[in-house]
Amino acid sequence: MPKRPSSCRSAGSRAVRRGLSLGGWVAVATTAVVIGSSLTAYGAYYDIYGNISQETVDTDSWDRPTKVEGALNIMIIGSDVRSGDNAQYGGQIEGERPDTLLIAHISPSYDGAVLVNLPRDSIVDMPSCEPNGDRPGMEAHRGMINSAMNYGGVQCQWKVVEQLTGIHIDHFVSVDFTGFKEMVDAIGGVEMCIPEPVDDPKAQLTLEAGLQTLNGEQALGYMRSRYGQGDGSDLSRIDRQQVFLGAMLRKVMSGEIMSSPSSIYSFLGSVTDSITVDDQFTVDKMTDIAIQMREVDMGNIRFITVPNGAHPDDPNRVAWTQPDADQLFQAIANDTEIVEDKPEEGDGGDEKEEAAPTVDPSQVSVEVLNGTDTSGLAGTVGAALQEKGFVLAGTGNPQGPIPGQTTVYYGPGMEEHANTVAAQLKKAVVAENPALGTTVQLVISADWDGLKGEPSSSGDVLDSIEAKTAEESESAC
């Protein structure tokens, strides 16, 4: 034990499996790293770099995974420390646990980048950590992955991530609440499509439905909001966060901002007080990253969540799905490109040949209900249907009996609308429910096998892990 009007649609998510808070932290840290050293050309970055906090990490104190030459792995931490300016977001709390924890992998082999989210509520076997400063350290035990930060600081969190994943971590970047908010304001806000009105007092967020530009305060609330959107699960929140991240990355890396020294300077200068890096993450190394990232197509930046499911001992916690998780980690550690399996043309498998749907998806309002034990599945499927052009009316769980097969229910006169939804699914039946109005209802049952064009759950993990690109994440109404 330790020592102690929904006419909006989003170009949304095909998020892999499930995940917890990806958050705006990825956007904060990644975009800062990507464009930061661009300022060296203007002789200004050294001034800004001097304002960034640095922390010494003794990586020689544990056995480390082998590094692949040229590949770069950065541990990104979205800090939930709530002192100083951050205390307003939930009160002052002693200690610090990452709100978000992920690995950004930049590959020289395929001119791409992969961001792997490690769910913060993952229950894992953690190694021991020695005391570090005012941190007490911890004995080897089974616990939540993000608790390592509280027991042994960044050094302990770094060790835990390396030893659990087998991925050599080169550097870390940590950002807090205030930094994210100010960064969004520095780029003039981020345009998002909000499908339904949002009222979430816990996240200090109230938004009308529709296309709108979120300022820093609104964006922070949007990233933290859980109970005011979707099915209320932390697992569905990642879909919205990834959409926001894609929109933010595209804006930051647009010609307007990147071509203006003053814009870049303002962008980074607004958040340097909220960023911490390891003391080996020098200007020269950041410059190397910036040079690498300039060659990366935005369509080749991918977001992946470690395959996971509800923990058998606690449905509110996460267990990594094996061997899928280890195979993913091995691919990252070896700098192997992760590609999405796409069926060959004409390969329909056992699916019956169907007539083309007669109703455009933009005219179909669909509610997605999750009748399985897979937490967050309704949000994931709903976001995937949004991406295909459907209007998502809501997500949740069935209130009555669950059908034996995944079923699309429809009200009077809406059969063709239901057929249009069913045509997107690998397994589904269509049935009438006279109590329904103009919104069709998809009830996901135990036989769920995904949407057409997506790999089956029984496929190899490197084929079955879907990767969402920044381009796919761009929001639209």
Side-chain angles (χ1 to χ4, degrees), residues 105-183:
H105 172 71
I106 302 174
S107 170
S109 302
Y110 51 90
D111 293 329
V114 178
L115 291 94
V116 182
N117 179 40
L118 306 178
R120 64 180 183 183
D121 286 351
S122 300
I123 300 297
V124 294
D125 290 320
M126 296 199 294
S128 63
C129 288
E130 295 297 320
N132 183 14
D134 59 353
R135 311 278 181 162
M138 66 181 187
E139 297 176 358
H141 72 288
R142 191 164 182 78
M144 284 175 55
I145 189 171
N146 71 342
S147 65
M149 189 86 166
N150 211 27
Y151 290 119
V154 171
Q155 182 163 305
C156 183
Q157 193 71 70
W158 191 321
K159 176 182 179 180
V160 166
V161 169
E162 280 201 342
Q163 297 205 348
L164 286 175
T165 66
I167 297 172
H168 181 99
I169 302 298
D170 297 285
H171 302 288
F172 89 89
V173 177
S174 177
V175 190
D176 64 27
F177 288 147
T178 302
F180 171 70
K181 181 177 67 174
E182 293 180 351
M183 183 173 282

Side-chain angles (χ1 to χ4, degrees), residues 84-100:
D85 291 341
N86 296 301
Q88 60 181 302
Y89 304 110
Q92 190 146 341
I93 296 177
E94 185 177 352
E96 178 180 4
R97 295 188 178 199
D99 180 66
T100 295

Side-chain angles (χ1 to χ4, degrees), residues 196-277:
E196 299 175 338
V198 179
D199 184 13
D200 187 347
K202 290 188 176 181
Q204 302 178 24
L205 179 68
T206 301
L207 294 174
E208 298 295 330
L211 186 65
Q212 54 200 284
T213 299
L214 305 186
N215 62 28
E217 192 72 40
Q218 292 170 321
L220 177 58
Y222 183 79
M223 304 314 299
R224 299 178 62 234
S225 175
R226 172 178 174 181
Y227 300 102
Q229 301 185 69
D231 60 8
S233 72
D234 209 11
L235 299 174
S236 68
R237 178 166 53 172
I238 191 170
D239 295 326
R240 300 186 298 273
Q241 296 171 334
Q242 287 180 333
V243 172
F244 185 93
L245 170 59
M248 185 172 183
L249 278 173
R250 289 177 68 82
K251 181 166 186 179
V252 168
M253 299 183 73
S254 69
E256 179 181 350
I257 292 179
M258 289 294 289
S259 63
S260 169
S262 61
S263 295
I264 298 174
Y265 192 93
S266 173
F267 175 71
L268 287 178
S270 65
V271 296
T272 51
D273 290 342
S274 302
I275 294 177
T276 302
V277 300

